[in-house]
Amino acid sequence: MFYFKTKRQSFIVVLDVKMDQTLRCVLGFFLLNLIPHGLAQGNRPRVTTTSNWPETFWTETLTLRCEIEGGGDSEWTFGWRRDRTSSSDKYTTDNKYIISQATDSDNGDYECIGRRGSPNSTFTPWSEPFKLTVTPRTPKAELRADSTSIPAGGAVTLTCDVNPPSSGWTYILYRGDHPGTQDDGKNFNGRFSVSKGGVYRCRGVRGEPVYYTYYSDSVTINIILSNRAVVTLQPHWTEIHSGEKITLRCEIEGGDDSEWEYEWETTSSDRSVKQSESFEISATSYSEGEYKCKGKHKTEVLSSTPWSTPITLTVSEQKPKAELKADVTDIPVGGYVTLTCDVSSSSGWQYYFWYRADKSSNPSSINEFSSAGQKRVSKEGLYWCRGARGNPVYYTEDSNTIQLKENTVANKAVVTLHPNWSEIYSKESITLRCEIKDGDDAEWEYEWETSNSFKPPKEKEYSIGPAYTSHSGNYSCKGRKKSDQSPTGWSDPITLTVLSSSPQPVLTVSPLWLSPGDSVTLNCEVKHPSAGWRFYWYEAIPKLSDNSYNSYSYQLLPGSRNGTEKYSFIVHGQTHTAGYVCRAGRGEMNTPYSKPKFVWSGDLPSSASLTVSPERVQHFTSDSVSLECKGNSTQWRVTFQEDSFLADCSLRDTMTGSTCTIEEYRSRNNVYWCESGSGEFSNAVNITKENSDIILVSPVHPVTEGSSVSLSCRLRSSDIVSNVFFYQNNKLIQNDTRKELNISAVSKSDEGFYKCQTSGRESSQSWMSVTVVAVSRLGNPSYLLILMIVGLICGAVLIILLLLLYRCRQSKDSCLIRSIQAESTNQDSATNPAAQHHEYSPPLQGDACHYESIKGPEDTAHDANHSQSHDVTYSLIELKNIGKKGKKPEPDSTIYSDVRLETEDTSVLYSQVSCHNPGKDKKNKGKPTPAITEESVYSEVKPDQ
């Protein structure tokens, strides 16, 4: 069997071995004739190009190459054909086929074949066709610039491309008005950075021989200088009127005028703008618009300043008219009137004034002009004015005229308000009164002038009520004598403002969190403060019966029934959570109630309380937190305050019976408290739920002084907490391997903000409150001892009393002031009253009053860890003198005994001493002396509070 394959077909010939040998020879000869010269097995030709780009442009040279797979080029000759129209009869040893200056006639499929050997040649098959398409035009380069202006010291980027897009190009940049020498610019990516001004072109080049694209269009690059152009006006006003002349000038900062040429641009319709340093405009409506300029350097080509900031001219077609005003039209006796002339539509004016005495007289000019537009005049007559500006002078039209009259009456009118409030609210009432100083009411008529649409009657009083916002404005009045109609001047205007609605008071409270017995300060603020307010203060009582959110009834606080003049109010001795509101009133008007404000106590009252589960301040957002109300009520609501927003638990969370449940995955940072159906408030708690990985576990309720407390750190994950840092008021207080902060006996100094830190994470801080509870004095073991000491002191006081009585009877007009200090000589004296020693100071002669100070021993045996305050016990002893026969009775004597004892008893001890006089009183100078049948001595012991 023989296998034969040609380019066009394959043959399989099977020869039977039993076939006649002659037949086999004939068939073999036949097969050999099918292959004229033989085939080169395993060698295949392939057409390639010497360039790396697939497209060919008009007149470009293209070289094709025939490559034989598996054969050396030296052994082969090559033939070519196009579009399979003919077989090659010409073979060359050069494997290249060159198409010079290609045109569209060269389009087609090109194939090559290889031949080897002679005389019996071996041929390869024909190659796969190579398709050639010639683009029927020469490409053109395109040049783009990211900016056409180079800033001072900077550069711009130019980009050169070939259109239509193709590959294999090298780009050349040229600078100059005409294509010329390459300007140091040749690269493969087509991007050039230039820092010189000029006209730039580019083109692309590729291949061998070299093939060029057409030149790109030119791009002009300017250099922007650091000098700055500024447009100025002479005169300097931008609002001008038709017919005025104005000069525009282009000034170059930091440049000599001789070095510059100028260019102007305008948005106006006037195209006669000259390209010079300055030019003059005779204003018309066509001149209106923006003007800007720049300077071009004469010696540096394509170098210029930036464009100036444009200046806008506004041209008014209408000639302006001056306006004249007078503060009053009646000239006071010996006084003057101020005239004001103004051209409100523009600036730069000077003002001239004229007047004439009456309509028949000739106008007279007031020679002086005024740039401020004001003039004081004291002559009666008719006045007007006009404005002038510019060179040549441009005049406005004459103003309106004002007639001024001289007053012959020296009285002055004054407007007063009753009540004297310049700000009132809608529907309030007020009276304006025109009062003439030094004038008899019966002799006057009145005239009013207002800046609003209301015209008061010609009466002394003008009552407004109810007031509306349209009554706002200036009010002035004047009087005119009934006898000769001579007027006063107009009064100074008084401004009345009527506000559209009554104000909403805003209540603030301080402090927000209570310590037991605190005083709470309430401040009620009215948004538009004005005179005459009285403030009323209320306590908010919860109302749960109407099932509305945050419903309260209001009860006047003691001392607030008639209101207070001050906007602040103090509630003394507040111990529990409470809500307050305020309102203000004057006349017949009252403001609405303020929004309720609350002061919170963290202590747990017996009547209503709020408990938290889990019992801590901070919680993860994944925690479910329960707040339960307890107390003597069957109806509850949990209220919370978030910033200034007050809401009911059921508004955000779930309220079931007396329990509020803060659901999972809800952030919170609120204060919560319970309100009962019987109108009571519970303690308040601060609850935070944060989307953090760490929290501080701290007590949610105040901690009683002396009790123990433990604070810890908890992570959201199950990571084991190692070293934990604890902070109080941002100060590190524990840094070791302990995982908890334990305080065995809490004191007031432990109160503050706490936070923890572990594993590089830090919790938020929470406040821990400490409640100080006074220890009962009756339960103090030393109380009996103190009573014994007090008994001894009372005995000593009785002895002193007898001594004083004796001294008083021995000496006339005597006064004894003794200071007795009793000090303990040793520690045993505190427990053994008999061991006490007293030192007595000698008596002082003088008044008949005896003052005695006694200090008792301190209780040194008391526990040093619990310091006691030194209480003061006062003993008041009243003595009455029993006169001798024939002597004038002595005045009553009083002895005050100051006893300082260390005791906790709040009770008051009284001791009464009765003394009987055995004698009878005698008359003195004919006057009977009252009989003293019994003398009483009272000893009052008061604790030092």
Side-chain angles (χ1 to χ4, degrees):
M1 181 177 68
F2 298 92
Y3 174 80
F4 172 71
K5 180 180 180 182
T6 67
K7 184 176 181 181
R8 301 181 181 275
Q9 54 187 330
S10 300
F11 299 94
I12 298 177
V13 179
V14 180
L15 300 178
D16 190 350
V17 294
K18 296 181 180 181
M19 187 180 296
D20 184 78
Q21 186 175 0
T22 304
L23 180 61
R24 285 182 290 173
C25 291
V26 173
L27 182 58
F29 178 78
F30 171 75
L31 292 175
L32 290 175
N33 279 279
L34 290 177
I35 308 174
H37 301 291
L39 289 174
Q41 297 296 326
N43 300 112
R44 295 187 61 82
R46 182 167 61 90
V47 178
T48 62
T49 63
T50 57
S51 60
N52 293 323
W53 45 87
E55 63 285 313
T56 302
F57 288 100
W58 188 271
T59 71
E60 192 174 11
T61 297
L62 178 68
T63 299
L64 304 178
R65 178 181 293 170
C66 188
E67 297 179 352
I68 306 297
E69 295 178 356
D73 292 346
S74 60
E75 300 177 1
W76 299 90
T77 58
F78 303 92
W80 296 84
R81 70 180 182 182
R82 185 175 67 176
D83 297 331
R84 299 180 180 178
T85 56
S86 62
S87 299
S88 175
D89 56 0
K90 180 180 180 181
Y91 293 88
T92 65
T93 59
D94 190 358
N95 69 337
K96 295 179 180 178
Y97 184 82
I98 299 174
I99 303 174
S100 180
Q101 295 188 343
T103 64
D104 54 358
S105 63
D106 295 312
N107 292 339
D109 293 332
Y110 288 82
E111 299 171 285
C112 72
I113 192 172
R115 185 181 70 179
R116 184 171 60 181
S118 180
N120 294 325
S121 300
T122 300
F123 291 86
T124 68
W126 286 100
S127 68
E128 293 293 330
F130 175 86
K131 188 174 185 62
L132 173 64
T133 301
V134 179
T135 301
R137 62 185 177 91
T138 301
K140 181 178 180 180
E142 289 185 353
L143 184 63
R144 302 186 305 276
D146 59 355
S147 174
T148 58
S149 299
I150 303 175
V156 298
T157 300
L158 302 177
T159 303
C160 188
D161 287 323
V162 173
N163 188 23
S166 51
S167 58
W169 300 100
T170 298
Y171 300 92
I172 303 174
L173 182 68
Y174 301 90
R175 177 172 176 259
D177 293 336
H178 302 285
T181 305
Q182 173 182 328
D183 186 26
D184 297 330
K186 185 174 183 180
N187 59 40
F188 296 100
N189 59 18
R191 294 176 65 84
F192 304 89
S193 180
V194 298
S195 58
K196 296 180 181 180
V199 178
Y200 288 88
R201 291 180 173 86
C202 75
R203 65 175 175 170
V205 59
R206 75 178 182 181
E208 184 63 38
V210 176
Y211 181 74
Y212 291 96
T213 68
Y214 287 131
Y215 285 100
S216 69
D217 295 334
S218 62
V219 173
T220 301
I221 303 298
N222 296 287
I223 293 180
I224 303 301
L225 303 174
S226 59
N227 306 87
R228 181 169 173 261
V230 178
V231 177
T232 61
L233 297 175
Q234 187 61 38
H236 59 273
W237 44 81
T238 57
E239 308 90 356
I240 56 179
H241 299 274
S242 182
E244 282 192 283
K245 295 185 182 297
I246 192 167
T247 299
L248 290 87
R249 181 181 300 276
C250 186
E251 297 182 355
I252 309 298
E253 295 181 351
D256 185 358
D257 292 345
S258 61
E259 299 176 355
W260 302 96
E261 295 177 346
Y262 301 91
E263 183 177 349
W264 290 83
E265 278 192 0
T266 179
T267 60
S268 69
S269 303
D270 187 358
R271 295 303 174 187
S272 62
V273 177
K274 298 179 181 179
Q275 303 303 314
S276 58
E277 180 184 4
S278 62
F279 59 92
E280 186 179 69
I281 292 177
S282 182
T284 66
S285 59
Y286 299 106
S287 307
E288 197 168 64
E290 290 184 350
Y291 293 80
K292 63 180 179 179
C293 72
K294 69 178 179 179
K296 295 182 177 181
H297 208 284
K298 290 182 179 179
T299 57
E300 297 182 19
V301 179
L302 299 175
S303 297
S304 66
T305 68
W307 284 103
S308 68
T309 301
I311 192 169
T312 303
L313 288 185
T314 303
V315 180
S316 175
E317 286 289 333
Q318 186 175 3
K319 194 172 185 179
K321 181 177 181 179
E323 181 182 10
L324 183 63
K325 295 180 181 179
D327 54 354
V328 294
T329 56
D330 293 321
I331 303 173
V333 176
Y336 58 85
V337 171
T338 300
L339 299 176
T340 302
C341 190
D342 182 45
V343 180
S344 59
S345 61
S346 51
S347 58
W349 300 96
Q350 293 181 337
Y351 299 94
Y352 296 86
F353 293 84
W354 282 265
Y355 87 100
R356 56 186 176 188
D358 52 50
K359 295 181 180 180
S360 61
S361 60
N362 294 323
S364 299
S365 172
I366 303 176
N367 295 328
E368 298 178 3
F369 68 87
S370 170
S371 58
Q374 288 190 337
K375 185 72 64 178
R376 291 180 176 180
V377 295
S378 57
K379 292 182 179 180
E380 187 176 76
L382 193 66
Y383 289 83
W384 68 96
C385 70
R386 66 174 177 174
R389 70 177 184 181
N391 188 14
V393 177
Y394 180 83
Y395 291 101
T396 69
E397 293 184 359
D398 290 343
S399 71
N400 56 299
T401 59
I402 293 180
Q403 179 72 51
L404 300 183
K405 293 183 179 181
E406 293 183 2
N407 285 331
T408 59
V409 180
N411 305 91
K412 183 180 180 181
V414 176
V415 176
T416 60
L417 295 173
H418 303 276
N420 191 21
W421 307 329
S422 60
E423 281 187 348
I424 62 173
Y425 293 88
S426 181
K427 298 185 180 179
E428 281 194 286
S429 299
I430 196 167
T431 298
L432 293 88
R433 184 177 297 164
C434 186
E435 297 181 354
I436 309 298
K437 290 188 176 181
D438 303 325
D440 184 1
D441 291 346
E443 299 178 356
W444 299 94
E445 295 176 348
Y446 301 91
E447 185 177 348
W448 291 86
E449 191 174 73
T450 68
S451 61
N452 54 40
S453 59
F454 290 94
K455 298 301 179 184
K458 293 184 178 182
E459 297 177 0
K460 181 176 182 178
E461 291 185 355
Y462 175 47
S463 296
I464 301 175
Y468 298 98
T469 55
S470 55
H471 285 101
S472 297
N474 296 328
Y475 291 80
S476 58
C477 71
K478 70 177 179 180
R480 191 179 299 276
K481 276 192 174 183
K482 293 182 177 179
S483 58
D484 56 8
Q485 293 297 299
S486 56
T488 66
W490 284 102
S491 69
D492 294 331
I494 191 168
T495 302
L496 177 65
T497 302
V498 182
L499 302 173
S500 59
S501 60
S502 61
Q504 176 66 45
V506 176
L507 178 66
T508 57
V509 298
S510 177
L512 292 177
W513 286 93
L514 292 171
S515 293
D518 273 353
S519 292
V520 178
T521 301
L522 311 178
N523 286 314
C524 194
E525 180 184 354
V526 179
K527 185 176 182 180
H528 294 285
S530 52
W533 291 109
R534 295 191 69 83
F535 298 91
Y536 299 86
W537 313 91
Y538 302 83
E539 183 178 6
I541 309 299
K543 288 176 59 180
L544 275 64
S545 57
D546 54 4
N547 295 322
S548 60
Y549 293 136
N550 306 122
S551 177
Y552 300 94
S553 61
Y554 303 131
Q555 180 176 327
L556 273 169
L557 291 172
S560 177
R561 181 170 301 277
N562 297 322
T564 62
E565 292 183 358
K566 293 184 178 180
Y567 61 88
S568 63
F569 189 83
I570 297 177
V571 180
H572 295 286
Q574 185 65 40
T575 59
H576 59 274
T577 300
Y580 299 97
V581 296
C582 72
R583 71 190 305 187
R586 68 180 185 187
E588 300 298 325
M589 187 192 75
N590 290 318
T591 69
Y593 290 103
S594 68
K595 293 182 179 179
K597 292 293 181 180
F598 293 85
V599 293
W600 301 300
S601 171
D603 294 329
L604 292 169
S606 59
S607 57
S609 63
L610 173 62
T611 58
V612 182
S613 179
E615 191 174 353
R616 60 176 183 260
V617 176
Q618 297 182 19
H619 305 266
F620 296 114
T621 52
S622 57
D623 294 336
S624 177
V625 183
S626 295
L627 295 88
E628 184 179 2
C629 301
K630 297 180 180 179
N632 301 323
S633 180
T634 58
Q635 191 176 10
W636 297 94
R637 71 179 173 210
V638 175
T639 303
F640 69 88
Q641 181 164 318
E642 182 177 12
D643 297 327
S644 59
F645 177 72
L646 191 68
D648 192 296
C649 166
S650 58
L651 183 64
R652 295 266 183 98
D653 302 296
T654 303
M655 189 74 187
T656 304
S658 60
T659 301
C660 171
T661 303
I662 305 175
E663 304 295 341
E664 300 176 0
Y665 303 107
R666 294 189 179 182
S667 297
R668 290 288 187 269
N669 186 7
N670 305 329
V671 178
Y672 291 84
W673 66 94
C674 296
E675 297 174 353
S676 74
S678 55
E680 295 170 319
F681 293 95
S682 74
N683 58 298
V685 295
N686 200 356
I687 298 296
T688 64
K689 289 186 67 177
E690 301 177 359
N691 189 20
S692 61
D693 296 329
I694 184 173
I695 62 172
L696 173 73
V697 178
S698 62
V700 70
H701 300 295
V703 181
T704 304
E705 186 178 37
S707 62
S708 63
V709 69
S710 177
L711 285 78
S712 61
C713 215
R714 178 174 295 184
L715 297 177
R716 183 187 295 272
S717 63
S718 59
D719 297 345
I720 299 176
V721 177
S722 55
N723 290 353
V724 181
F725 302 88
F726 287 95
Y727 296 83
Q728 180 189 14
N729 299 326
N730 290 320
K731 182 179 179 182
L732 181 64
I733 57 174
Q734 180 172 301
N735 176 18
D736 51 35
T737 58
R738 288 177 292 174
K739 300 177 183 179
E740 294 182 345
L741 174 63
N742 296 310
I743 306 173
S744 59
V746 175
S747 65
K748 194 65 176 178
S749 61
D750 295 315
E751 189 173 69
F753 285 101
Y754 287 82
K755 64 180 178 181
C756 66
Q757 187 183 75
T758 183
S759 304
R761 288 169 285 188
E762 183 177 275
S763 72
S764 299
Q765 62 180 3
S766 291
W767 176 265
M768 186 178 76
S769 180
V770 176
T771 300
V772 178
V773 178
V775 179
S776 172
R777 300 191 181 191
L778 292 176
N780 195 320
S782 62
Y783 183 67
L784 296 177
L785 177 62
I786 295 172
L787 289 179
M788 293 175 64
I789 295 173
V790 172
L792 289 175
I793 293 173
C794 290
V797 170
L798 291 177
I799 296 172
I800 295 170
L801 173 62
L802 295 175
L803 292 174
L804 291 174
L805 289 174
Y806 176 76
R807 295 285 297 177
C808 288
R809 297 177 67 88
Q810 295 292 326
S811 176
K812 182 184 294 184
D813 299 329
S814 64
C815 179
L816 172 64
I817 303 175
R818 294 186 293 176
S819 174
I820 303 172
Q821 295 183 345
E823 298 181 355
S824 175
T825 58
N826 51 51
Q827 185 174 0
D828 294 337
S829 64
T831 57
N832 185 8
Q836 297 184 17
H837 299 278
H838 298 353
E839 294 183 1
Y840 297 89
S841 62
L844 300 177
Q845 301 297 328
D847 297 336
C849 298
H850 303 270
Y851 297 88
E852 187 172 10
S853 174
I854 302 175
K855 291 191 176 179
E858 296 180 354
D859 186 4
T860 58
H862 192 65
D863 186 1
N865 293 330
H866 297 78
S867 60
Q868 301 292 331
S869 62
H870 293 282
D871 295 336
V872 179
T873 303
Y874 299 92
S875 179
L876 175 62
I877 303 174
E878 181 178 357
L879 300 180
K880 295 188 177 180
N881 186 28
I882 302 175
K884 296 181 179 180
K885 292 182 179 181
K887 292 185 179 181
K888 181 179 180 181
E890 298 292 331
D892 293 346
S893 301
T894 303
I895 297 178
Y896 294 90
S897 176
D898 181 0
V899 183
R900 298 186 179 272
L901 298 178
E902 185 174 37
T903 177
E904 292 182 350
D905 189 12
T906 59
S907 61
V908 179
L909 303 180
Y910 296 92
S911 175
Q912 179 173 337
V913 181
S914 300
C915 298
H916 298 274
N917 183 11
K920 295 182 179 180
D921 294 333
K922 303 291 182 180
K923 294 183 179 180
N924 184 24
K925 294 184 181 180
K927 295 182 180 179
T929 301
I932 300 176
T933 59
E934 182 179 278
E935 292 212 14
S936 298
V937 179
Y938 295 90
S939 176
E940 180 181 359
V941 182
K942 298 181 179 178
D944 186 11
Q945 296 181 356

